[in-house]
Amino acid sequence: MPRAALKLDEKIRARNIRLILDVATDVFSRKGFEGTRIAEIAELAELPKANIYYYFSSKEEIYSEIIASLIAGWDDALANIRAERDPAEALRDYIIAKLDYTARHPRESRLFASEIIQGARFLSRKDRQHMQAATDERVAVLEEWISEGRMAAINPRHLLIMLWATTQFYSDFSPLACDALGQNKLKRRDFTTAAETIVQTVLGGVIPAHSPSA
């Protein structure tokens, strides 16, 4: 195949995969895994059903791809928590990055929430092990900060659970957040204010008063 034709084919492939994943994310987030059908994804993507199977072997593969992308985004936020960093700055950057990702990917977050509520039946063992390992790595960092007196002696696992849950709330339960804020829709500034509030509250509770970052 000529190089120009090959590049065009690759461009079409990339575009169709993005389209399929975008449509599938929307359907999965609304209907869950079992309620979603390949035929509906194909119809909404305006592609033949055969084309879906050309790029993905099954509904499970599409679902796994979406979950993997979501977890990668969470990994990027968690990467802010590193032993060599100042604890206050690291936690602040994590909270801001996590809320930013939540604001930009609400459907993926709701999809994951739905999966967990339904018992995580389709969350792969590999994904669960990865998330457990990522948590263990950050727990080790927090424990190091605590042992050095750079952070209050609290349970690091419960801290991570609290931070994750707080930042997820704004996408997973956006109607409740809107009710609490007295408005119909969350705006970008709401996520910014949420980040500022969470940062101030958390750092005030876990960073020693004598710390330079306090």
Side-chain angles (χ1 to χ4, degrees), residues 99-117:
L99 266 170
D100 177 68
Y101 190 82
T102 295
R104 291 185 292 107
H105 300 86
R107 298 176 307 163
E108 290 87 340
S109 292
R110 287 194 292 269
L111 181 158
F112 189 84
S114 176
E115 169 66 17
I116 297 303
I117 290 171

Side-chain angles (χ1 to χ4, degrees), residues 81 91 138-147 151 156 159-160:
I81 302 178
L91 290 172
R138 269 62 205 186
V139 166
V141 171
L142 298 180
E143 288 176 338
E144 181 175 335
W145 288 342
I146 291 171
S147 69
M151 197 174 107
L159 174 61
L160 289 175

Side-chain angles (χ1 to χ4, degrees), residues 80-95 141-152 159 163 199 202-204 206-208 210-214:
N80 286 289
I81 302 178
R82 302 190 303 276
E84 69 272 14
R85 297 198 65 193
D86 173 75
E89 293 180 357
L91 290 172
R92 179 185 298 112
D93 289 347
Y94 168 68
I95 292 167
V141 171
L142 298 180
E143 288 176 338
E144 181 175 335
W145 288 342
I146 291 171
S147 69
E148 295 172 347
R150 302 166 67 195
M151 197 174 107
L159 174 61
L163 293 179
V199 166
V202 171
L203 297 190
V206 304
I207 301 301
H210 59 77
S211 170
S213 301

Side-chain angles (χ1 to χ4, degrees), residues 44-99:
L44 293 174
E46 298 181 349
L47 292 171
K49 186 176 178 180
N51 278 33
I52 308 297
Y53 285 112
Y54 176 77
Y55 298 111
F56 296 95
S57 63
S58 64
K59 182 172 71 170
E60 288 83 353
E61 186 179 359
I62 299 174
Y63 194 79
S64 296
E65 182 72 20
I66 296 169
I67 292 290
S69 178
L70 175 63
I71 292 174
W74 289 341
D75 285 345
D76 289 341
L78 271 176
N80 286 289
I81 302 178
R82 302 190 303 276
E84 69 272 14
R85 297 198 65 193
D86 173 75
E89 293 180 357
L91 290 172
R92 179 185 298 112
D93 289 347
Y94 168 68
I95 292 167
I96 292 172
K98 181 67 166 51
L99 266 170

